[in-house]
Amino acid sequence: MIQFTDVVKSYEQGNKALNGVSMQIEDGEFCFLVGPSGSGKSTIIKLITGELRPTSGTVHVNGYSLERIRRREIPYLRRTVGVVFQDFRLIDKMTVYENVAFAMRVVGAREKEIKERVPYVLELVGLENKQNRHPNEMSGGEQQRLAIARALVNNPSTIIADEPTGNLDPERSYEIMALLQEINNLGTTVLVVTHAQNLVEIFGKRVISIDDGLIASDSMEENDDEAE
């Protein structure tokens, strides 16, 4: 579960990136986070992954309290959160298989585990026949699938996708969102940060909108109000 309560984040220059954000994303949910550039979306991601700490308020992610987490606990938190970036961040000199296996080696997985898990995840994202390719031999959509495989391989409970379709054409963008929905159907919490309003509308999931460091709207709360 991801829970923000009255979260303020100020930077050294004095400007506030977040100005009292409260939100809760339940285990197994699929949620979009939308808002204009500079609204606070990137700060929210950095708080969830432990890259930043809140100036005030509380952030709870998968059992960890981010306002008082110890440095040695952060790697354990990050094993529960897989992050997919717009620019893929793949290692060009490694093959598809090696890129995914590397993510497991970083956290100390045994070779037996790696040999079992990597093929399974590559099949899940539709890259089982590309194991020996290098990223620069693949399309943008395939590279993003590889980035998703790498984020998934350590079996995190949560996936954060930061503008995952920003560099893709509409058809590939839809395929990536459908893949993230499939991953969510398997029980993984998925938070997608995006500007792609058309995809948000097509997939019809919960939408949290942030503007100027504040939650501007939350479609779940709006639906709850309508139910009442």
Side-chain angles (χ1 to χ4, degrees), residues 54-68:
T55 304
S56 64
T58 61
V59 179
H60 296 278
V61 179
N62 299 334
Y64 292 90
S65 297
L66 276 296
E67 68 277 6
R68 58 174 183 266

Side-chain angles (χ1 to χ4, degrees), residues 31 84 91 116 119 122 124 143 154 161 165 168 216 223:
C31 183
V84 180
I91 303 171
E116 290 175 356
L122 289 176
L124 181 64
Q143 289 183 55
N154 289 314
T165 64
L168 305 178
N223 290 338

Side-chain angles (χ1 to χ4, degrees), residues 41-186:
K41 303 189 301 298
S42 295
T43 299
I44 286 174
I45 293 174
K46 290 175 180 177
L47 286 166
I48 292 171
T49 60
E51 187 176 337
L52 296 175
R53 295 192 183 210
T55 304
S56 64
T58 61
V59 179
H60 296 278
V61 179
N62 299 334
Y64 292 90
S65 297
L66 276 296
E67 68 277 6
R68 58 174 183 266
I69 192 169
R70 295 175 180 169
R71 187 178 296 275
R72 60 183 169 80
E73 291 180 304
I74 290 176
Y76 297 98
L77 160 74
R78 289 177 178 166
R79 289 183 198 181
T80 75
V81 182
V83 184
V84 180
F85 299 98
Q86 177 178 348
D87 57 1
F88 314 139
R89 302 194 186 181
L90 304 171
I91 303 171
D92 287 335
K93 65 182 181 182
M94 291 186 178
T95 65
V96 165
Y97 182 97
E98 290 165 346
N99 262 279
V100 181
F102 179 73
M104 294 189 71
R105 292 193 180 101
V106 165
V107 300
R110 294 173 297 181
E111 286 303 310
K112 182 174 184 247
E113 293 176 282
I114 291 170
K115 287 178 180 176
E116 290 175 356
R117 178 75 178 164
V118 173
Y120 165 75
V121 173
L122 289 176
E123 183 176 356
L124 181 64
V125 302
L127 293 177
E128 64 271 24
N129 297 322
K130 310 266 184 179
Q131 294 193 38
N132 297 318
R133 295 277 183 92
H134 287 81
N136 59 9
E137 300 173 309
M138 302 164 70
S139 69
E142 289 170 335
Q143 289 183 55
Q144 190 58 292
R145 286 173 176 270
L146 175 54
I148 292 171
R150 191 181 54 187
L152 275 174
V153 74
N154 289 314
N155 202 27
S157 57
T158 304
I159 289 283
I160 298 174
D162 186 9
E163 298 287 355
T165 64
N167 291 327
L168 305 178
D169 63 49
E171 186 176 351
R172 300 288 89 76
S173 296
Y174 181 87
E175 289 176 2
I176 292 300
M177 290 305 311
L179 174 59
L180 290 169
Q181 180 171 273
E182 186 179 334
I183 290 164
N184 174 248
N185 291 342
L186 295 172

Side-chain angles (χ1 to χ4, degrees), residues 195-213:
H195 283 100
Q197 188 61 35
N198 59 322
L199 291 173
V200 173
E201 292 170 359
I202 288 169
F203 282 85
K205 304 293 186 180
R206 179 184 176 191
V207 181
I208 297 173
S209 177
I210 186 166
D211 191 15
D212 199 24

